[in-house]
Structure formats: structure tokens, C-alpha cells
């Protein structure tokens, strides 16, 4: 598994399939398998992981997964 991991502050929240919106300090992970990317999120240092709603993508080039991760962090991260 390749991918990236980032801690961020998401006061506006991240919509998840399992529990709805989670807010505050979270960890975002992008998991890459072949050309598929899956985004998951957890409350920082928690045990449970949740799938980001709409966070499963198929890329034409797996090398673009880092860009997808970085763009997602840029959209969600809102430091105070």
C-alpha cells in the first residue's frame, strides 16, 4: 500500500459514510491500490477510521494520488 498521511484541523468538518460529519483535529490518509485511491479519516489518535464520502477515485495515473491527497488537505485544513 502506498499513500500519504496528514494531520489537520477541520472545524468545518469532513463528511464520512459511517458516522456523518467529524470535526476538529483529524488525520487523513490516502490509500493507493493500483490506480484506485481511497480517502479515510479519523479523529486524531483515535482507533476508528471512516471512509470520506465521495473519497474513492480511479486515476489515469497513480502518480496523481499525491496531488489528490494534497488538494484534499488544502480544502479541509482550516487552522485557527
Amino acid at each position: 500500500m502506498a499513500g500519504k498521511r496528514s494531520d489537520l484541523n477541520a472545524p468545518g468538518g469532513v463528511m464520512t459514510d459511517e458516522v456523518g460529519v467529524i470535526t476538529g483535529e483529524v488525520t487523513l490518509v490516502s490509500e493507493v491500490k493500483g490506480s484506485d485511491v481511497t480517502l479515510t479519516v479519523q479523529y486524531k489518535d483515535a482507533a476508528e477510521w471512516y471512509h470520506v464520502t465521495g473519497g474513492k477515485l480511479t486515476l489515469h495515473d497513480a502518480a496523481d494520488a499525491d496531488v489528490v491527497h494534497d488538494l484534499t488537505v488544502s480544502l479541509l485544513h482550516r487552522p485557527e
Side-chain angles (χ1 to χ4, degrees):
M1 169 184 83
K4 287 181 85 171
R5 177 186 188 108
S6 297
D7 293 330
L8 56 118
N9 185 14
V14 179
M15 180 62 78
T16 69
D17 294 341
E18 295 84 1
V19 296
V21 177
I22 65 171
T23 61
E25 296 292 321
V26 299
T27 301
L28 175 75
V29 169
S30 59
E31 180 180 347
V32 181
K33 292 182 181 174
S35 60
D36 293 331
V37 178
T38 303
L39 301 172
T40 55
V41 67
Q42 70 174 175
Y43 286 107
K44 190 170 187 263
D45 300 323
E48 299 84 13
W49 286 93
Y50 308 110
H51 292 94
V52 174
T53 300
K56 182 159 175 113
L57 311 160
T58 300
L59 304 174
H60 292 286
D61 186 342
D64 293 336
D66 284 349
V67 173
V68 168
H69 181 92
D70 293 344
L71 285 170
T72 304
V73 169
S74 294
L75 290 169
L76 297 175
H77 183 57
R78 299 289 182 245
E80 296 183 54

